[in-house]
């Protein structure tokens, strides 16, 4: 991710460098790095933050990584040396208890890609539950009544909310006599771990549904590879729908039907809201801005009785 950011013209911080108040600080928080990584999803989020920073007249986007497993005091000291107007905090892998240390930096903060009910901070997030619900409804409208779920075993709010949306939709549409909890396959959140976990699951010759909803595109594409390696055709035998619409989804084999997230726009919204705080234009209200994913139809989903 650092290399991509540098290619886009972002700057990284050294404590000795002077700072201006026209700087916006983007903190990329890594709890374990199994989700926040050098992927098209997070590259798009960062691009949205960068573009809006300069559009609103701020001369510099300063990007800093914060690693929860490293010395926190040293990292916080480095952040304090950065004279910034405000912080966009990429909180995908964060928990509420992780946020307090950044609140003590004394500048406005807007959370990106996560929210916490115990924190009075603005946030820009994905409507994960509704997105998953919409994905199941789409599969149901395509004629699938037996719909499984490829669920990440990494517990972040995004995936937990998508799980809730999947279960709610399954029960709402009465898509199967099987309890939806029994149709969930837990896999890793990286490409290799998702592939290995799905392969291990398929080695047991399980009963398979006619379609799967996956927590994200990376998991969807990795599990499709495992299905194909086990002689199961996608979409002829099993349809698969992902979530995020990363750039590689359109060139996957088959091209992946997915729930598109307006990633670049999310980053832009976070900066706009942060600047409103910096300028004192918010009147003290706290908001959670939730963006709704939309279906992108490609070739990985067909009707159960339809050949690709």
């Amino acid at each position: 991710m650092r290399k991509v950011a540098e290619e886009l013209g972002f700057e990284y911080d050294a404590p000795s460098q002077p700072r201006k108040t026209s700087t916006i600080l983007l903190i990329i928080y890594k709890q374990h790095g199994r989700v926040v990584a050098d992927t098209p999803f997070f590259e798009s989020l960062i691009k949205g933050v960068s573009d809006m920073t300069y559009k609103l007249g701020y001369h510099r986007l300063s990007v800093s990584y914060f690693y929860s497993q490293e010395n926190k005091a040293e990292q916080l000291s480095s952040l304090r040396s950065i004279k910034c107007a405000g912080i966009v905090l990429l909180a995908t892998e964060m928990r509420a208890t992780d946020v307090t240390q950044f609140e003590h930096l004394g500048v406005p903060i807007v959370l990106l890609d996560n929210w916490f009910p115990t924190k009075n901070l603005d946030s820009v997030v994905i409507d994960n539950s509704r997105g998953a619900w919409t994905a199941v409804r789409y599969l149901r409208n395509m004629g699938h009544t037996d719909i499984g779920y490829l669920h990440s075993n990494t517990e972040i709010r995004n995936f937990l909310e998508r799980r809730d949306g999947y279960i709610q939709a399954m029960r709402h549409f009465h898509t199967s006599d099987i309890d939806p909890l029994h149709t969930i396959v837990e896999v890793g959140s990286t490409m290799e771990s998702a592939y290995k976990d799905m392969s291990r699951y398929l080695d047991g010759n399980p009963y398979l549904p006619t379609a799967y909803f996956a927590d994200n595109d990376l998991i969807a594409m990795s599990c499709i590879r495992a299905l194909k390696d086990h002689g199961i055709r996608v979409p002829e035998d099993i349809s698969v729908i992902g979530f995020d619409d990363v750039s590689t989804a359109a060139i996957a084999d088959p091209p992946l039907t997915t729930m598109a997230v307006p990633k670049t726009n999310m980053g832009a919204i976070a900066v706009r809201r942060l600047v409103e705080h910096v300028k004192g234009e918010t009147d003290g209200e706290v908001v959670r801005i939730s963006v709704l994913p939309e279906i992108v139809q490609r070739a990985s989903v067909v009707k159960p009785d339809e050949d690709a």
Side-chain angles (χ1 to χ4, degrees):
M1 189 183 297
R2 178 183 292 270
K3 181 180 178 182
V4 173
E6 289 174 344
E7 289 174 352
L8 290 171
F10 301 171
E11 298 182 42
Y12 286 80
D13 298 297
S16 61
Q17 294 178 342
R19 294 291 164 252
K20 298 179 180 179
T21 56
S22 59
T23 295
I24 295 293
L25 174 59
L26 170 64
I27 298 176
I28 300 172
Y29 187 94
K30 286 197 172 189
Q31 178 72 36
H32 41 65
R34 291 194 295 272
V35 178
V36 178
D38 299 326
T39 66
F41 180 89
F42 291 103
E43 291 165 9
S44 295
L45 282 181
I46 293 173
K47 185 178 188 303
V49 171
S50 174
D51 290 349
M52 187 54 64
T53 294
Y54 295 109
K55 183 176 181 180
L56 294 181
Y58 287 78
H59 302 310
R60 184 171 180 226
L61 175 66
S62 181
V63 181
S64 292
Y65 286 85
F66 193 97
Y67 301 91
S68 68
Q69 306 303 319
E70 297 184 8
N71 189 302
K72 295 180 180 179
E74 290 182 0
Q75 293 179 88
L76 288 169
S77 177
S78 178
L79 292 175
R80 288 190 186 95
S81 72
I82 303 170
K83 189 176 182 181
C84 66
I87 295 170
V88 174
L89 180 56
L90 183 61
T92 309
E93 293 186 353
M94 295 184 74
R95 300 181 184 274
T97 53
D98 301 321
V99 179
T100 303
Q101 58 197 335
F102 301 106
E103 293 178 292
H104 292 160
L105 294 175
V107 295
I109 295 174
V110 172
L111 302 173
L112 179 58
D113 201 35
N114 205 345
W115 68 279
F116 306 100
T118 59
K119 292 295 178 181
N120 291 324
L121 294 173
D122 286 357
S123 58
V124 181
V125 298
I126 305 164
D127 193 337
N128 293 295
S129 180
R130 188 173 172 188
W133 195 95
T134 301
V136 172
R137 180 180 64 182
Y138 172 71
L139 292 173
R140 183 67 182 86
N141 290 342
M142 288 291 287
H144 295 277
T145 58
D146 195 354
I147 301 167
Y149 177 27
L150 304 172
H151 178 49
S152 173
N153 58 19
T154 300
E155 288 197 358
I156 62 170
R157 188 181 300 276
N158 284 342
F159 296 154
L160 295 176
E161 289 178 347
R162 290 170 199 179
R163 182 180 185 273
D164 288 344
Y166 164 79
I167 292 173
Q168 291 170 16
M170 290 287 286
R171 290 175 175 166
H172 175 81
F173 292 112
H174 303 290
T175 57
S176 174
D177 292 333
I178 302 173
D179 187 322
L181 293 176
H182 293 299
T183 64
I184 297 175
V185 182
E186 291 198 354
V187 298
S189 54
T190 66
M191 293 195 72
E192 193 58 32
S193 62
Y195 172 79
K196 287 181 178 179
D197 290 341
M198 188 62 177
S199 294
R200 190 178 302 113
Y201 176 76
L202 294 171
D203 286 342
N205 296 313
Y207 170 80
L208 297 174
T210 64
Y212 277 118
F213 163 65
D215 261 337
N216 63 21
D217 293 344
L218 184 150
I219 288 173
M221 292 184 286
S222 299
C223 290
I224 286 174
R225 181 161 66 97
L227 287 164
K228 292 166 68 174
D229 286 351
H230 282 74
I232 301 165
R233 301 172 301 167
V234 176
E236 295 92 336
D237 300 324
I238 295 180
S239 290
V240 179
I241 184 170
F243 203 111
D244 287 342
D245 193 29
V246 298
S247 57
T248 52
I251 58 174
D253 182 22
L256 186 65
T257 297
T258 186
M259 300 301 301
V261 175
K263 301 170 283 295
T264 303
N265 195 36
M266 284 178 64
I269 292 170
V271 174
R272 285 203 302 266
R273 185 61 181 169
L274 179 63
V275 170
E276 289 175 359
H277 277 287
V278 171
K279 293 181 176 180
E281 299 173 351
T282 62
D283 295 325
E285 78 272 19
V286 177
V287 301
R288 173 157 51 103
I289 302 171
S290 183
V291 299
L292 181 63
E294 296 182 351
I295 292 174
V296 176
Q297 300 181 48
R298 296 195 180 100
S300 67
V301 175
V302 295
K303 294 180 179 179
D305 57 351
E306 180 181 324
D307 292 333

